[in-house]
Amino acid sequence: MPNDQPDSLDHIVARSRPQQGEAPAELNDPRNYLVFDRLGSAAQHGDPAAAVTTGEDGRMVVSDPDTTLGIVVGAVEPVTPEAIESEVAGIRTADDSAGSDNSAYIPDWTAVSAMPTLAPRAEPPRLVRRNGMRVRPEWVIDGDNRLPYYPNTYPFSLVGRIFVWQNAGTPNWTWWGTASLLGSRTIMTASHVVPWGSSNWKALFVPAYYDGASVHGTWAASWVTDARGYSNHSQGDDMAVMRLAVPLGNNLGWFGFRTYSSSWQDQPIWTLPGYPWDKDSGNRPWMHPNYPIIDDDNDGAGVELEYRADTEGGQSGAPVYAWFSGSPYVVGTHSGGEDNFGEPRQNVAAGGAALTNLLHWARGNWP
């Protein structure tokens, strides 16, 4: 098929364009963020909004300790790659057109660029790491080739920072990762970013996060309402999807996705963006552009995509993508690194049919 090969640099550059209009107003709406819910342990299940009042100084006051900011997600049952594959196959059998759309979406208003505007390097001293979910070490390899960028163009505006509270009742988040828009309400991340086993958690996705908020405004964010993924994973299927309360993808667009082919091996076409803790404490995005995937190994139900792109903790869940037929397509979600005896250090994404089936499932069930 003609679109099975990645686009040339000239083709990608030709797709670049400046911003075509104003960002939709609903993208930056306080109602995206100011949502109140009741904790699962609450004795009564009344309207949580009744607990929110205005104090004498005009500030918002929450009088009920069981009422919390954000959407509380109950325990999420993990799925298996085999179950997802079976369900997607069943959907396709019932409707040939269902469960087959893997395309990207580029909104008419947004700017598009092959390379984003590079941001100044502003790295404070390293802070103590908050995210304790790194499954394996990650590596900066043979010099640091990451670049800071300003995420105000497509597809870089699709990538964001996801904050996770393992206990929704606590004021501070427990860890963060990277996630990206793969549908109207679907974001993709790593399985180890999901707090499996918690019956009382919440998560906030902030696309194009930069210095404390989205570049599209303070309220350009969405709480998570559900998750699916493989909790009993190897590194090759360390992947998950989450459903957003706000369909941010309708305004920002989304990545396409496809199953990795070994015919693309050693081509320096891939980009890995994200929010590493060792750069600006995760407050600005960094990327490693134009690197090759050097090997792909079956691992669990998925495929390990191996590369020597530079990463660090906080980038778990980041998309690995290249351009095909004028649009960016994801082939993996960043998982971590490996340091096997007798082999050079390398970093790894989870991909293969386990990923594309999961994304087909999410688009079919979370329109």
Side-chain angles (χ1 to χ4, degrees):
M1 295 176 62
N3 65 346
D4 276 348
Q5 290 305 310
D7 292 345
S8 66
L9 180 59
D10 289 345
H11 190 184
I12 299 171
V13 171
R15 291 283 287 169
S16 299
R17 69 186 189 201
Q19 188 165 323
Q20 305 296 294
E22 294 296 322
E26 59 265 35
L27 183 61
N28 184 27
D29 187 327
R31 291 172 294 183
N32 294 352
Y33 177 77
L34 294 175
V35 179
F36 289 88
D37 200 357
R38 289 181 64 81
L39 299 175
S41 57
Q44 302 178 33
H45 296 280
D47 180 7
V52 182
T53 59
T54 302
E56 293 182 0
D57 58 359
R59 295 183 179 183
M60 186 180 297
V61 177
V62 180
S63 58
D64 180 4
D66 289 324
T67 298
T68 188
L69 176 66
I71 296 174
V72 180
V73 185
V76 175
E77 290 295 325
V79 293
T80 65
E82 294 77 15
I84 290 292
E85 181 179 19
S86 176
E87 186 168 343
V88 170
I91 294 172
R92 288 176 176 164
T93 299
D95 182 351
D96 288 341
S97 64
S100 59
D101 177 26
N102 68 328
S103 61
Y105 168 49
I106 305 176
D108 292 337
W109 69 271
T110 189
V112 179
S113 65
M115 280 287 290
T117 301
L118 297 184
R121 296 173 180 259
E123 300 179 55
R126 293 186 179 186
L127 303 179
V128 175
R129 184 175 314 195
R130 278 181 145 176
N131 64 322
M133 293 299 291
R134 189 172 59 165
V135 175
R136 295 184 185 177
E138 301 176 55
W139 309 106
V140 174
I141 301 167
D142 297 336
D144 194 343
N145 292 302
R146 291 173 293 175
L147 300 171
Y149 67 91
Y150 192 66
N152 63 339
T153 61
Y154 178 99
F156 302 97
S157 55
L158 306 181
V159 182
R161 191 169 167 184
I162 183 165
F163 299 87
V164 178
W165 286 255
Q166 194 167 20
N167 179 352
T170 58
N172 297 321
W173 46 266
T174 313
W175 61 75
W176 88 79
T178 300
S180 55
L181 281 160
L182 266 295
S184 174
R185 295 182 186 272
T186 298
I187 57 172
M188 176 191 73
T189 189
S191 176
H192 70 261
V193 172
V194 181
W196 302 109
S198 172
S199 61
N200 211 38
W201 63 278
K202 64 184 180 182
L204 180 70
F205 174 66
V206 185
Y209 184 87
Y210 193 90
D211 282 354
S214 172
V215 299
H216 298 296
T218 302
W219 312 111
S222 177
W223 296 98
V224 167
T225 65
D226 201 355
R228 289 292 184 277
Y230 316 131
S231 68
N232 186 24
H233 59 78
S234 300
Q235 202 152 13
D237 50 15
D238 180 11
M239 55 189 70
V241 289
M242 294 182 178
R243 181 188 182 277
L244 300 178
V246 180
L248 296 175
N250 288 346
N251 292 319
L252 288 175
W254 54 74
F255 283 104
F257 60 90
R258 56 178 56 207
T259 304
Y260 178 78
S261 168
S262 57
S263 66
W264 305 327
Q265 186 168 307
D266 296 329
Q267 297 188 49
I269 58 173
W270 306 100
T271 296
L272 196 158
Y275 291 86
W277 73 272
D278 68 327
K279 298 291 189 180
D280 305 315
S281 301
N283 287 310
R284 294 182 181 182
W286 288 65
M287 67 172 180
H288 192 139
N290 305 324
Y291 68 88
I293 291 174
I294 58 177
D295 197 12
D296 57 302
D297 294 332
N298 291 329
D299 184 61
V303 175
E304 279 189 352
L305 306 177
E306 301 171 355
Y307 40 79
R308 291 174 64 78
D310 299 316
T311 68
E312 251 300 350
Q315 282 184 272
S316 292
V320 173
Y321 74 90
W323 289 73
F324 295 81
S325 301
S327 297
Y329 282 78
V330 170
V331 297
T333 180
H334 180 68
S335 174
E338 58 183 16
D339 188 18
N340 298 329
F341 179 77
E343 296 180 359
R345 289 174 174 174
Q346 56 196 7
N347 292 315
V348 176
L355 180 69
T356 52
N357 283 333
L358 187 61
L359 291 169
H360 279 305
W361 181 91
R363 284 196 182 179
N365 286 277
W366 298 337

